[in-house]
Amino acid sequence: MDILSQIKATVQQAVQNLFQVDIAEEQIVINETDANFEGDFTIVTFPLVKILKQAPDKIAQQLGDTLLQLNNNFVAFNVVKGFLNISIAPQYWIDFIQKNFDNPIYFETAKQTEKVLIEYSSPNTNKPIHLGHIRNNVLGYALTGLYKASGYNTHSCNLINDRGIHICKSMLAWQKFANGETPESSGMKGDHFVGKYYVLFNTYYKEEIAVLINNGMDEKEAEKKAPILLEAQAMLQQWENGNEAIIQLWKTMNDWVYSGFKVTYENLGISFDKYYYESDTYLLGKAIVEEGLQKNIFFKKENNSVWIDLTADGLDEKLLLRSDGTSVYMTQDIGTADLKYQDFKMDKSIYVVGNEQDYHFKVLKLILEKLGRPHADGLTHFSYGMVELPDGKLKSREGNTVDADMIMAEMIQTAKEQTEALGKIDDFTEAEKTELYKTIGLGALKFFMLRVDPKKRILFNPKESIDLHGYTAPFVQYSYARAKSILRNATNEINLATSINTIATAELDLIKHLYQYKTILVEATQEMQPSKWIDYIYETAKLFNKFYNECSILNADNEAEKQFRLALTQLTANCIKNGFAIVGIQVPEKM
């Protein structure tokens, strides 16, 4: 039984002994003791005042005396304004290290019955994955890892936005201006190649709008009636009507993009259990719209467009089918939601999508509820803020997007330059150097994306993210490499045959922090806060460095002390490696 469970069980027993009252475990509130006070854990007595009908301080004093009598792991207590601070016996922490320093089971959590499906990435097949998508992918992968590590039956999926007007824009531009050019003939990565034509479409679109405005047309009208846009809309109708030539062009260009996406995902270390494609789900969505019409949940306007009226729910009317019968994002999201539930029967369906879509997911959840879908209640929008660079926001239509491949290459190059400047890798092979630069560069990128509360906007600074002494992945990675170097220099296997009786403050602080591994993991998962997990791993590295600086390890005063500190070093390294792996960050064995 862990120490928190022991505290709760002993408090229950103490209350029964003192007051002849049974209290539930959830009525016992325990926090870590504030650093300004003596103790390890604090029992909050205020929730017990009404039950026990005594003042907080009096309850705390009586509980403290009784706890020390009932459990030898509690060695001291103090009362501060109704808060009962308990000190744990040093031997308990010593035993914890001895039992767990090299025990893989230490990282295992209890299995949960809840099934979780996490959808993330969801790129469009008209352009490459960009910097904003990196945050989405990194958050989605981290969230999936946290749920898996916390014992949930967890799967991930990727809904590819492979159809719609934006896809037709790239297709039409290629058809009109490419003269048969291909990724192979141009030497371009497939997704970059198709993205070039999406930008080209918008260039011509703007030019045509300008001509129409110069000829006296209102700007909004010109935006609707630009000839190239009308052609793209006609192409979309042809696609939905099954035009063979358009379908073949669509397949060819999508294949170019998929080959590019595959490279990007592999380089980023991202994978999915299942892919969904909007081209497969929009018809299912249309069928569900028809179902909603028959049940009078949806309604048609005079132009035959289909809507749902959510004004009674505090929202507005939402379009589900255009007047020409073509679908919108909501149509296919309704269909995909049903398909995902058929495949996974998930209790919780998490969508990792930027905060500009907050309204969309409120509407989707309401629609599914009104349709009586069993998966409506578990629908959860994991909303996150946008990513910006110091010189402004990303705009893909203008062609100045910082794509994922570019930023990853820059991070790896920056890692190379900074590592070579330190001059500590002369004994590395070229292959080891290449792997190290990638580990540091991509680790820095992912860490920076994860360290901020997801709801907040990120101003991404590549050089800041790779600082060896800051709140960064390289700092944590270096701490891990330092720990592994110490363990290699110890040469012999760790032997804890002889126990120690006392531990230094820096050792104790680190041990108590490592003890919280599973508690923080579960909290970060339940709160859906990868940043909380990143904070924990970073703090692990900080406390290890404090321990390293204050306590000699290989030159300890005696062999028992040395072996214990090596064991503590081993568990720290394991925690960092395992903790980082959960969110997709690697660590180097040497650095």
Side-chain angles (χ1 to χ4, degrees):
M1 186 184 294
D2 66 34
I3 198 65
L4 290 176
S5 298
Q6 288 187 46
I7 293 172
K8 288 183 178 181
T10 312
V11 168
Q12 285 176 309
Q13 185 180 345
V15 170
Q16 174 57 234
N17 292 355
L18 290 165
F19 306 101
Q20 291 73 56
V21 173
D22 292 324
I23 59 171
E25 186 177 300
E26 55 267 23
Q27 292 174 295
I28 304 169
V29 179
I30 304 172
N31 300 318
E32 284 189 68
T33 301
D34 187 284
N36 295 316
F37 300 101
E38 195 174 324
D40 297 311
F41 297 98
T42 298
I43 301 165
V44 183
T45 61
F46 298 100
L48 303 177
V49 170
K50 286 187 178 180
I51 302 170
L52 304 180
K53 297 180 174 56
Q54 292 198 22
D57 280 3
K58 190 172 182 181
I59 293 172
Q61 185 65 46
Q62 293 177 83
L63 280 179
D65 288 330
T66 307
L67 291 177
L68 266 58
Q69 295 171 18
L70 292 174
N71 192 320
N72 291 333
N73 285 325
F74 309 147
V75 294
F77 76 91
N78 63 85
V79 177
V80 181
K81 297 181 179 179
F83 293 93
L84 172 58
N85 302 319
I86 298 290
S87 296
I88 308 302
Q91 191 59 46
Y92 181 87
W93 304 116
I94 293 169
D95 291 344
F96 163 71
I97 293 298
Q98 291 176 326
K99 291 174 184 175
N100 295 292
F101 78 92
D102 203 19
N103 180 10
I105 297 176
Y106 172 67
F107 300 104
E108 294 182 5
T109 53
K111 296 297 179 186
Q112 307 294 325
T113 57
E114 195 174 15
K115 293 181 181 178
V116 179
L117 179 64
I118 301 174
E119 177 191 305
Y120 67 97
S121 196
S122 302
N124 298 323
T125 57
N126 64 327
K127 55 190 175 185
I129 294 170
H130 58 63
L131 178 59
H133 287 128
I134 289 182
R135 190 178 195 193
N136 180 293
N137 281 283
V138 170
L139 283 170
Y141 189 93
L143 203 59
T144 302
L146 287 170
Y147 270 99
K148 285 182 177 179
S150 294
Y152 292 87
N153 183 354
T154 309
H155 292 92
S156 62
C157 67
N158 185 355
L159 173 64
I160 304 291
N161 301 308
D162 66 338
R163 61 166 300 281
I165 189 66
H166 51 296
I167 308 301
C168 289
K169 289 176 181 178
S170 295
M171 292 165 58
L172 180 64
W174 184 88
Q175 201 176 57
K176 293 172 75 71
F177 309 121
N179 295 317
E181 184 185 29
T182 67
E184 291 77 14
S185 67
S186 67
M188 293 180 71
K189 192 163 166 276
D191 50 338
H192 290 241
F193 177 81
V194 172
K196 179 179 80 169
Y197 285 95
Y198 180 64
V199 172
L200 190 59
F201 174 93
N202 282 287
T203 300
Y204 277 85
Y205 177 51
K206 286 181 177 179
E207 291 175 358
E208 290 184 352
I209 290 172
V211 170
L212 292 174
I213 292 173
N214 287 337
N215 290 336
M217 188 177 288
D218 174 77
E219 183 178 353
K220 288 188 177 180
E221 189 70 10
E223 289 173 354
K224 294 178 182 178
K225 293 190 175 179
I228 196 169
L229 177 63
L230 296 177
E231 286 186 78
Q233 291 171 340
M235 178 180 277
L236 177 60
Q237 286 184 297
Q238 289 177 308
W239 186 94
E240 292 206 8
N241 290 331
N243 181 290
E244 289 186 14
I246 298 300
I247 294 292
Q248 186 54 53
L249 174 61
W250 169 76
K251 288 180 178 178
T252 298
M253 293 186 71
N254 275 351
D255 283 345
W256 290 340
V257 174
Y258 296 146
S259 66
F261 283 174
K262 183 181 179 182
V263 172
T264 304
Y265 283 136
E266 286 177 353
N267 287 338
L268 194 55
I270 299 296
S271 61
F272 308 91
D273 296 315
K274 189 173 181 67
Y275 284 86
Y276 291 98
Y277 300 87
E278 287 192 358
S279 57
D280 294 331
T281 63
Y282 84 103
L283 290 176
L284 178 57
K286 283 187 171 184
I288 296 171
V289 170
E290 184 59 37
E291 173 194 332
L293 280 170
Q294 293 175 6
K295 292 179 177 179
N296 295 319
I297 298 169
F298 309 146
F299 69 95
K300 271 189 181 181
K301 291 192 175 182
E302 291 181 0
N303 64 358
N304 279 328
S305 59
V306 180
W307 299 71
I308 184 170
D309 185 356
L310 297 173
T311 53
D313 299 283
L315 303 179
D316 57 11
E317 293 182 349
K318 180 67 178 178
L319 177 68
L320 301 177
L321 279 181
R322 298 187 185 95
S323 57
D324 61 7
T326 56
S327 61
V328 294
Y329 275 124
M330 188 61 72
T331 323
Q332 47 235 19
D333 275 351
I334 293 168
T336 307
D338 264 22
L339 190 56
K340 291 197 293 187
Y341 187 70
Q342 291 172 24
D343 290 342
F344 292 99
K345 294 293 187 294
M346 64 280 183
D347 301 292
K348 192 168 192 173
S349 181
I350 301 173
Y351 293 77
V352 181
V353 183
N355 56 15
E356 76 276 12
Q357 295 296 326
D358 286 351
Y359 182 82
H360 176 90
F361 285 99
K362 286 180 183 177
V363 173
L364 176 60
K365 188 178 180 75
L366 270 172
I367 290 173
L368 294 174
E369 286 174 354
K370 292 178 186 298
L371 287 166
R373 293 304 195 257
H375 46 280
D377 186 53
L379 189 154
T380 304
H381 177 205
F382 182 83
S383 176
Y384 64 90
M386 295 295 99
V387 181
E388 295 181 16
L389 292 168
D391 57 352
K393 209 170 181 180
L394 311 174
K395 297 181 180 178
S396 59
R397 291 180 185 176
E398 283 74 15
N400 62 351
T401 300
V402 178
D403 64 72
D405 300 312
M406 182 191 305
I407 200 68
M408 284 192 286
E410 181 181 336
M411 292 299 296
I412 293 169
Q413 179 62 28
T414 303
K416 177 181 179 181
E417 291 170 1
Q418 293 200 9
T419 303
E420 288 180 344
L422 293 173
K424 295 182 178 181
I425 55 169
D426 294 340
D427 60 335
F428 281 48
T429 66
E430 287 305 312
E432 287 175 333
K433 289 178 183 178
T434 300
E435 186 62 27
L436 178 64
Y437 303 148
K438 183 178 180 181
T439 297
I440 296 172
L442 296 187
L445 174 63
K446 293 177 182 181
F447 187 99
F448 200 97
M449 294 291 170
L450 293 172
R451 74 182 194 177
V452 178
D453 184 320
K455 292 180 176 61
K456 294 181 179 178
R457 179 182 67 93
I458 286 182
L459 188 64
F460 180 64
N461 186 326
K463 290 189 176 179
E464 179 189 337
S465 72
I466 217 158
D467 182 359
L468 195 61
H469 303 290
Y471 179 26
T472 64
F475 170 77
V476 180
Q477 290 169 326
Y478 184 76
S479 302
Y480 173 82
R482 168 178 276 172
K484 295 299 287 186
S485 175
I486 292 167
L487 293 168
R488 283 193 299 272
N489 289 332
T491 64
N492 296 324
E493 288 188 12
I494 298 170
N495 183 349
L496 296 178
T498 305
S499 184
I500 62 171
N501 298 316
T502 59
I503 45 180
T505 300
E507 291 177 280
L508 184 58
D509 289 344
L510 177 56
I511 294 168
K512 288 194 289 185
H513 180 78
L514 296 175
Y515 189 85
Q516 295 292 313
Y517 181 94
K518 282 187 273 196
T519 300
I520 302 300
L521 173 62
V522 172
E523 287 177 0
T525 303
Q526 292 174 344
E527 296 168 16
M528 294 201 297
Q529 276 287 3
S531 59
K532 185 169 189 171
W533 188 239
I534 289 295
D535 284 344
Y536 175 79
I537 300 302
Y538 173 72
E539 191 64 25
T540 304
K542 275 183 64 179
L543 288 170
F544 172 73
N545 281 287
K546 182 173 182 287
F547 156 66
Y548 172 83
N549 289 323
E550 294 183 13
C551 303
S552 178
I553 300 173
L554 296 178
N555 295 313
D557 290 340
N558 55 68
E559 189 63 21
E561 190 175 75
K562 172 185 172 181
Q563 293 300 320
F564 180 81
R565 289 176 179 174
L566 286 170
L568 179 52
T569 301
Q570 178 71 70
L571 182 57
T572 303
N574 291 347
C575 280
I576 290 174
K577 184 175 184 177
N578 202 73
F580 257 5
I582 287 172
V583 295
I585 300 176
Q586 304 303 310
V587 288
E589 293 299 305
K590 56 181 183 175
M591 188 172 169

